[in-house]
Amino acid sequence: MQIEKYRIEEFNHLHSAAHERKFAFAASSVKDPESILQKLIDFQIAIPSWALGTGATRFGRFSGGGEPRSLEEKIEDIGLLHALNRSSGAISLHIPWDIPQDYAAIKALAAQHGLRFDAMNSNTFQDQPGQAGSYKFGSMQHVDKSVRRQAVEHNIDVIKHGMALGSNSLTVWLADGSCFPGQLNFRKAFRNTLESLEEVYAALPENWKMYVEYKAFEPNFYSTTIGDWGQSYLLASKLGPKAYTLVDLGHHLPNANIEQIVALLLMEGKLGGFHFNDSKYADDDLTTGSIKPYQLFLIFNELVEGMDARGMEHATSLGWMIDAAHNVKDPLEDLLQSVEAIMLAYTQALLVNREGLAEAQQENDVVRCQEILQEAFRTDVRPLVAEARLRAGGALAPLGFYRKSRVRDQLVQERGLKTVASGL
Amino acid sequence: MQIEKYRIEEFNHLHSAAHERKFAFAASSVKDPESILQKLIDFQIAIPSWALGTGATRFGRFSGGGEPRSLEEKIEDIGLLHALNRSSGAISLHIPWDIPQDYAAIKALAAQHGLRFDAMNSNTFQDQPGQAGSYKFGSMQHVDKSVRRQAVEHNIDVIKHGMALGSNSLTVWLADGSCFPGQLNFRKAFRNTLESLEEVYAALPENWKMYVEYKAFEPNFYSTTIGDWGQSYLLASKLGPKAYTLVDLGHHLPNANIEQIVALLLMEGKLGGFHFNDSKYADDDLTTGSIKPYQLFLIFNELVEGMDARGMEHATSLGWMIDAAHNVKDPLEDLLQSVEAIMLAYTQALLVNREGLAEAQQENDVVRCQEILQEAFRTDVRPLVAEARLRAGGALAPLGFYRKSRVRDQLVQERGLKTVASGL
Amino acid sequence: MQIEKYRIEEFNHLHSAAHERKFAFAASSVKDPESILQKLIDFQIAIPSWALGTGATRFGRFSGGGEPRSLEEKIEDIGLLHALNRSSGAISLHIPWDIPQDYAAIKALAAQHGLRFDAMNSNTFQDQPGQAGSYKFGSMQHVDKSVRRQAVEHNIDVIKHGMALGSNSLTVWLADGSCFPGQLNFRKAFRNTLESLEEVYAALPENWKMYVEYKAFEPNFYSTTIGDWGQSYLLASKLGPKAYTLVDLGHHLPNANIEQIVALLLMEGKLGGFHFNDSKYADDDLTTGSIKPYQLFLIFNELVEGMDARGMEHATSLGWMIDAAHNVKDPLEDLLQSVEAIMLAYTQALLVNREGLAEAQQENDVVRCQEILQEAFRTDVRPLVAEARLRAGGALAPLGFYRKSRVRDQLVQERGLKTVASGL
Amino acid sequence: MQIEKYRIEEFNHLHSAAHERKFAFAASSVKDPESILQKLIDFQIAIPSWALGTGATRFGRFSGGGEPRSLEEKIEDIGLLHALNRSSGAISLHIPWDIPQDYAAIKALAAQHGLRFDAMNSNTFQDQPGQAGSYKFGSMQHVDKSVRRQAVEHNIDVIKHGMALGSNSLTVWLADGSCFPGQLNFRKAFRNTLESLEEVYAALPENWKMYVEYKAFEPNFYSTTIGDWGQSYLLASKLGPKAYTLVDLGHHLPNANIEQIVALLLMEGKLGGFHFNDSKYADDDLTTGSIKPYQLFLIFNELVEGMDARGMEHATSLGWMIDAAHNVKDPLEDLLQSVEAIMLAYTQALLVNREGLAEAQQENDVVRCQEILQEAFRTDVRPLVAEARLRAGGALAPLGFYRKSRVRDQLVQERGLKTVASGL
């Protein structure tokens, strides 16, 4: 299905009076609302192809209906999101789940929905049917050179798919690690991983980036070979200028200060991008902003400040992607909530009085530093985000429109009740 | 397959000289070795039927071969373990995965292997084909009375299966909880759960126990309705004298002092039993004793002390069970390692100088308290456990025998390479 | 020093136009602003006497100037806070740090500032000069009956001081626990504690409450005898109807779901009160709302909902108190920030659409549940809180007034630069 | 006081028969006992001067008696330890707490006790009387260049003291960080720290090492500027070949895999040394090996393996130091327990079948990997450590001797009951 533009306009018309009142109030308290609106319009968050179906835990899956059955339907789903919020203009594919049959047709379909192809994702954490070596004991870290080689070749393959589609980055997440003390020689595992990544790096086209993701634990429960930002940074440094660290908000030990990690990676020129989600306990993969919205704001605060300092373009210099599971929500609704939370945090970060903050920091005026951050965070910026969306052609209230138009019902009608999206 | 007794005797004969030397040394440093040996011989740990196949994470499963394809083969597997270590003389079934076709035949088969039926486990965390209501949003906590009723009836059904087999306890683990703030009215969820449990409790035969398990998180990632020992205790207290708390070592928040919880539950007469495993991060379900063996010893230290104080029989008053996943190990080998670790910790706890410890505690002599515990923990008690096993008819080195006799190869030959055990 | 009313009025006058515009907007989006404002006016948070000086870690203290040198000056400080925000109308004393010389004079002074005496706090975690027994190895848990008796008598003494001042509650926080495995017999320690608390309970006047505080760790680093809500609840249940659990936001293991604990304690009628602060790692005692403002809101959400359900008066039925340390901020500024954060969270909780939430919960509409909570949280409620303060006679911007009037400079001038407040 | 050699010999004589029996048994199960004994004899652990008095938490201190009142008495204390265990032959000083009056006399005194001067420790986490700038808001990170310069000069001063005493390393632990979001510009703080450390590094003598310590939190509770191994490694890399990372076992987030960090730092040639202690919750500074002895063994397992791989000398290439607090134990007894636990873990690591482990790892035989590690860990190696001590001239049972000889009583008699050691 596709959402006709006029229906969005009708919807917006109904809500425009209320919106205008709120926006007028919000804009009046902001210094340069137009510049903020433009940044919001430019900001695009990639949607991963595997996040369009119901997620599962190891204990089971409770599927919903109308899930996309093909790459084409996944693109259609993201097209729906983007039509509504105008901030989801990119798709991140996962190989082998999303191997296109016809590159040109897929590119055309994506273009039709206004979507570009963001980072490509490889998969060496599962065995595929007919695969020679098994990843049971790791992939790029594996003691057996032939398994490492298989993992390298798969990644090179993923790059090729990406090139054909116009992507320009590769995200490598390795589940590699160990479940028990003694299982692994940590140093050999690290060196094997480095060597494997070097081979992939060598195959990277000139304008491509490689994102090296880290994760504290799961699915390995004693050690993970790329387990923290330090290990990812070490690898990215050794690999070269096209290698970067990717930060997934759920991949840390309890209580980690993620915003500080972000600031340091930016300082070192090694921050590649983000996987957004939220969590309370582990890699819970919950809706972004549903548990710790202030932390999300603090991360954006570092991003805005750090990118300003480096002269980077906010909207385009980093890879922004959602990576969440949707176990108890409609995936599309969940993604709308995540994108909204990200836009709000970004807007609040843009509102921070940077000069005042720098001055208060210089004076060790801790109370004022906090006041300045909370002044931005406590501001109701929803009308600003809505206005940006409106100007970009989206719906004033994407979730409201989605429900009112019964989008899911139509998808179920088209695709059936018992579909299961490929992926996890 | 079954292991002939003479083969174990041959194996033991080969190792008996070395063992005798070690045992003589070990026994000479222990006050009453005979009494300890008897306790070790009596101690039996139940094996859950679902732990006999390769485990999985949400990211995938890497199966091994020769996994049991039926309840009969599961009993056969545990029979093998018990033949080797004489400490695995019980099986814990999971309904609906282990519904017997013929109760009498199953009872006879178990008896033939020297196994009794330990706690029965219900399953309301997954939907079964054809089930009327879904557990997507909980079972006993569910807002819909009919779903709650369905969960209650399933548990009553499980009791009936257990009665037919000679079990006398029911373990209730509820995955119930919520993934997002606001999703649940905590109080209503708790009350619904209590009401549902009361209905199950009412169906409990006179001599049965109900174990109420708790877990901090997973598969729900914001709240769990029976989330800690306090919540389980509250329910067990309200339910009545046949209801107890069950402690799974992996079901706590980081850094929890589990041994203290054990002591308090024993004090209140509400400790029902254990699910043994080990973990570093979350509910990792690793081999017992593979990560924190000293914690395991401290827990047994409380058990021995607390049961002495209450005049309880060590070996038989509580429900002891392993509950681990085996993602990268042969499940049977993994279970042999877990049982061994439990027996060692139990033995070390039996060695603790109780009078000396009580005296040192009374004098606040913290250094001596620690010395007394570590004196026991640092003692090499493997020869004592081996001797107990020998006397009970088991193998001096169960894992050694298992490997030398190529048990897994035979199971693969009998059952095939691509079997997948029912269960998670 | 004291702040003349006319100076606050002058200050408010300067800011009134801006405030009125904001308040008009805020009030227009709220259903019953008057009822909310009344609740905010009624809500009072006690300030602990020990929070008026610079806090310390075990590594040192960096004192500020003008700290109160006596109980009279502590009351004066809280009087200043209350004059500015009209929400700090109570003081919580700590014995022996705050033993009055002249009860009548102290009561008169407090009354003059509009302050009442909230919960009294005993201290059995430090040895006082001339004390017979030492609390090095605990107080109410102590193996020596005479030390336990000393702790009991001290608490009874604290009650007497409180009675003389018009307080009606006692907060018992015990640092009791152990630093090493084996040091303590957990069960004996618990029973000794219960017995000691029973003796204090027996001395409680008819209309008094006893708050039993729990804490996961620190200053003991292996076990704490009242270590979690379950242990506190167990004690409070055994003690009787005047005993309640007190929740300090920093006293939990990592990732604990505090709002769920709050809901259950309310359900059981055993929630006594709060110590507000914020934390990232441990008992960090940071400014309330400075790290996890959404969690603070979720806690208030449970309080509002739970108290409604029990027909309790919001403002007066529980003990509300700040318990933070101020290591790098002016203590009075820090307290103003904490009170503000609490008022904002309370207001947002009052805005939650309760009927809508109950309905969405009943329908398992998780997306809508989250939307309803976040609708309230994302609303800028600062104008409502400011309006309530204005009506109650406080300053529109307490911190702004405090800084503009150079209150701290005047305190330094009056009291000196090198004062150190009594307490930690 | 000093312990006469003949008294140790008398003591050993009394216990020699029992020891010989145990040692004979232990030696018979080890491949090359002589080589292990020599390594144990060579291994020396430095004792920090500040660990000789009773430790404190922020809530208070419960002092014991006979604490050293001067640097001379601290050396005397460590001399006692070394006389008993022959493994404490080094002292680590803290400036300004241990500034010698007479270098030659202090060197002579240390030599008389067989002690060398290990790493020097600077202190920029507290303000000293008369100090120009304050460290309230950090030292080397400080926004004010003059404060940074003061911290640098203090460190250079510490180096000078160390040179005069024959030390050859400097440990820099910075408490620098922030308590609240916004307080710090993370990148500026990091750069200021780097610049300051560079100035200290420039002053380092040719043969000196600089250890850059990291810590997750405390005394700052939002961010620490050198907060994890990655940040320390980044600094050490930029500083140069004389800069290394120092690992304190208590300075990590919950559940961190410290042994993996150790392995990677060794691989990169950047592991400088250790602060040994144990912890359950935070930087608890408990007796080494009292909470997680298996983790201690796993760390030594990496050290032995990693140093073998790099051709490093076990005993001398790294800085080994205890850094614990002694809040409820006699500090000297506590240190004897810590050293013993370290020696046991080191011995067990030396017992690991390296070839077998490498082979099992190469075959992904996870069960066997675990068996090999646990084979070593479960071995009772106390007789080996005792034998090494005996041969080196120490007491078979240092703690037994200490208690039997009533060393503390004599120290109290000499020094008094109310002494408080300088330091924390």
Side-chain angles (χ1 to χ4, degrees), chain B residues 277-295:
Chain B
N277 51 54
D278 213 335
S279 62
K280 187 166 177 62
Y281 303 101
D283 188 27
D284 306 336
D285 277 336
L286 303 178
T287 318
T288 314
S290 64
I291 304 290
K292 298 173 195 155
Y294 194 53
Q295 178 187 270

Side-chain angles (χ1 to χ4, degrees), chain B residues 159 170 199-210 242-243:
Chain B
I159 294 173
L170 171 71
E199 291 176 36
V200 176
Y201 188 90
L204 223 48
E206 197 49 49
N207 64 330
W208 273 53
K209 294 178 178 179
M210 179 195 278
K242 293 189 282 188

Side-chain angles (χ1 to χ4, degrees), chain B residues 187 222 228-229 259 305, chain C residues 182 187 222 228-229 259 305:
Chain B
R187 292 173 297 108
Y222 170 62
D228 63 17
W229 79 268
E259 51 271 30
E305 203 266 349
Chain C
R187 292 173 298 107
Y222 170 62
D228 62 16
W229 79 269
E259 51 271 31
E305 202 265 350

Side-chain angles (χ1 to χ4, degrees), chain C residues 212-372:
Chain C
V212 180
E213 195 167 353
Y214 62 90
K215 182 172 184 178
F217 63 94
E218 196 213 21
N220 273 295
F221 294 112
Y222 170 62
S223 75
T224 303
T225 297
I226 312 181
D228 62 16
W229 79 269
Q231 288 156 36
S232 169
Y233 169 83
L234 203 55
L235 289 167
S237 301
K238 290 173 192 280
L239 286 170
K242 292 188 284 188
Y244 296 86
T245 293
L246 185 136
V247 177
D248 181 301
L249 300 187
H251 288 192
H252 301 81
L253 291 175
N255 306 336
N257 188 322
I258 302 176
E259 51 271 31
Q260 186 182 11
I261 293 171
V262 166
L264 295 183
L265 286 171
L266 263 172
M267 180 181 74
E268 295 296 311
K270 279 299 190 188
L271 183 66
F274 275 90
H275 279 183
F276 288 110
N277 50 54
D278 213 335
S279 62
K280 185 165 178 66
Y281 304 101
D283 187 27
D284 307 336
D285 278 336
L286 302 178
T287 317
T288 313
S290 64
I291 303 290
K292 299 172 193 154
Y294 194 54
Q295 177 187 269
L296 185 66
F297 161 73
L298 292 174
I299 290 168
F300 268 97
N301 181 49
E302 291 305 324
L303 288 167
V304 168
E305 202 265 350
M307 291 191 295
D308 279 351
R310 294 186 66 86
M312 292 161 79
E313 284 292 318
H314 289 194
T316 56
S317 56
L318 296 181
W320 313 95
M321 198 175 104
I322 289 170
D323 184 13
H326 321 291
N327 301 347
V328 296
K329 288 178 176 174
D330 176 329
L332 294 178
E333 295 190 354
D334 201 339
L335 289 163
L336 288 175
Q337 289 187 312
S338 277
V339 172
E340 180 78 4
I342 293 168
M343 298 304 288
L344 294 174
Y346 180 38
T347 310
Q348 290 166 331
L350 290 170
L351 291 191
V352 169
N353 173 357
R354 301 258 147 239
E355 300 70 33
L357 182 60
E359 194 184 277
Q361 286 171 341
Q362 190 58 35
E363 294 168 4
N364 290 311
D365 187 344
V366 184
V367 165
R368 195 166 144 232
C369 292
Q370 180 178 318
E371 288 292 305
I372 288 170

Side-chain angles (χ1 to χ4, degrees), chain B residues 331-383:
Chain B
L332 293 178
E333 295 190 354
D334 201 339
L335 289 162
L336 288 175
Q337 289 186 311
S338 276
V339 172
E340 180 77 4
I342 293 167
M343 297 304 286
L344 294 174
Y346 180 37
T347 310
Q348 289 167 332
L350 290 170
L351 291 191
V352 169
N353 173 358
R354 300 260 149 238
E355 300 72 31
L357 183 59
E359 194 183 278
Q361 287 170 339
Q362 190 59 35
E363 294 168 3
N364 290 310
D365 187 344
V366 183
V367 166
R368 198 166 143 229
C369 293
Q370 179 177 320
E371 288 293 306
I372 288 170
L373 287 194
Q374 295 197 328
E375 164 69 29
F377 181 71
R378 288 168 176 168
T379 301
D380 189 343
V381 297
R382 289 175 296 178

